[in-house]
Amino acid sequence: QLQLQESGPGLVKPSETLSLSCTVSGGSISSNSYFCDWIRQPPGKGLEWIGSNYYSGDTYYNPSLKSRVTISADTSKKEVSLRLTSVTAADTAVYYCARHHTGWDWYFDLWGRGTLVTVSS
Amino acid sequence: SSEMTQDPALSVALGQTVRITCQGDNLRNYYASWYQQKPGQAPVLVIFGNNNRPSGIPDRFSGSNSGNTVSLTITGAQAEDEADYYCNSRDSGGDHWVFGGGTRLTVL
């Protein structure tokens, strides 16, 4: 059964770079039907879409984060990575990777369990 | 970018019906999906394509749309349906994705 697992440091200092990985097990993300997005949720708040790395290699980012975010995919390693630079306390959140199903409709049909990243000195 | 508006909180008596709505101009042009999130857990897809249920989701969950509004209806709400619910769709430009602010549902 396909599973997604986020990993990375749980604590990042202000102004530094947040780096997370999403590892796919039990299947592949190298498909015309799926790719992986990153989504985050600050404590006690709602969901915020961060960005997508399409199977074509094209990337799309939330305009509010675009200048600081990079999402890349290594299909051979079954891994999707997130980099967010110049972090502040406002970037403290649970970060999820989610499989984006494509077709006549696009939706997030599988989510990782999420990983909490705290930005603090 | 687009905004999608949800009621922050709703309540429903056990066994009754509740409708959760999501409004946004982008919804006139794009399908919406709905996600259920319980405390400490990742979101779970409950509706896609406005009104389609993934396998494993109880048939008491249904979706609909009209104009700039999509709705998630729970018919015969159960205690386990108490959760936060989020709508999601493309923004007006089509290349980005946006979530509604979420609705906290309490089952009384």
Side-chain angles (χ1 to χ4, degrees), chain A residues 104-118:
Chain A
W104 63 269
D105 184 28
W106 293 29
Y107 47 88
F108 303 106
D109 65 344
L110 181 67
W111 296 64
R113 297 179 68 176
T115 186
L116 174 62
V117 178
T118 301

Side-chain angles (χ1 to χ4, degrees), chain B residues 5-29:
Chain B
T5 303
Q6 297 182 238
D7 291 326
L10 289 172
S11 61
V12 59
L14 186 67
Q16 296 303 301
T17 297
V18 63
R19 175 175 290 183
I20 303 170
T21 61
C22 175
Q23 284 189 306
D25 287 341
N26 54 314
L27 296 172
R28 297 183 184 276
N29 300 315

Side-chain angles (χ1 to χ4, degrees), chain A:
Chain A
Q1 183 176 0
L2 190 71
Q3 291 185 326
L4 307 176
Q5 178 68 58
E6 304 88 349
S7 62
L11 181 64
V12 181
K13 290 182 168 55
S15 80
E16 295 190 346
T17 296
L18 179 161
S19 295
L20 297 175
S21 294
C22 173
T23 302
V24 181
S25 61
S28 173
I29 56 171
S30 178
S31 163
N32 287 344
S33 299
Y34 305 103
F35 52 91
C36 284
D37 288 27
W38 285 94
I39 294 160
R40 70 180 184 179
Q41 184 172 36
K45 296 187 178 181
L47 300 170
E48 180 182 35
W49 176 75
I50 298 172
S52 302
N53 184 301
Y54 285 16
Y55 46 78
S56 63
D58 293 335
T59 52
Y60 297 86
Y61 301 127
N62 188 318
S64 69
L65 300 170
K66 185 176 182 179
S67 63
R68 300 194 291 130
V69 68
T70 303
I71 296 175
S72 58
D74 185 334
T75 54
S76 64
K77 293 185 178 180
K78 297 185 178 182
E79 192 173 278
V80 180
S81 300
L82 169 70
R83 290 184 75 250
L84 184 65
T85 62
S86 304
V87 298
T88 70
D91 295 310
T92 293
V94 174
Y95 285 77
Y96 296 100
C97 63
R99 188 175 72 171
H100 212 157
H101 180 279
T102 68
W104 63 269
D105 184 28
W106 293 29
Y107 47 88
F108 303 106
D109 65 344
L110 181 67
W111 296 64
R113 297 179 68 176
T115 186
L116 174 62
V117 178
T118 301
V119 178
S120 175
S121 55

Side-chain angles (χ1 to χ4, degrees), chain B residues 41-90:
Chain B
Q41 297 183 19
V44 173
L45 176 72
V46 294
I47 292 288
F48 66 93
N50 286 343
N51 57 12
N52 296 270
R53 242 184 357 264
S55 60
I57 300 302
D59 60 6
R60 64 179 179 271
F61 290 88
S62 63
S64 62
N65 67 294
S66 177
N68 72 338
T69 302
V70 294
S71 302
L72 171 69
T73 299
I74 307 175
T75 304
Q78 302 299 303
E80 61 264 33
D81 300 334
E82 186 163 288
D84 294 330
Y85 291 86
Y86 296 91
C87 58
N88 177 262
S89 186
R90 295 177 186 264

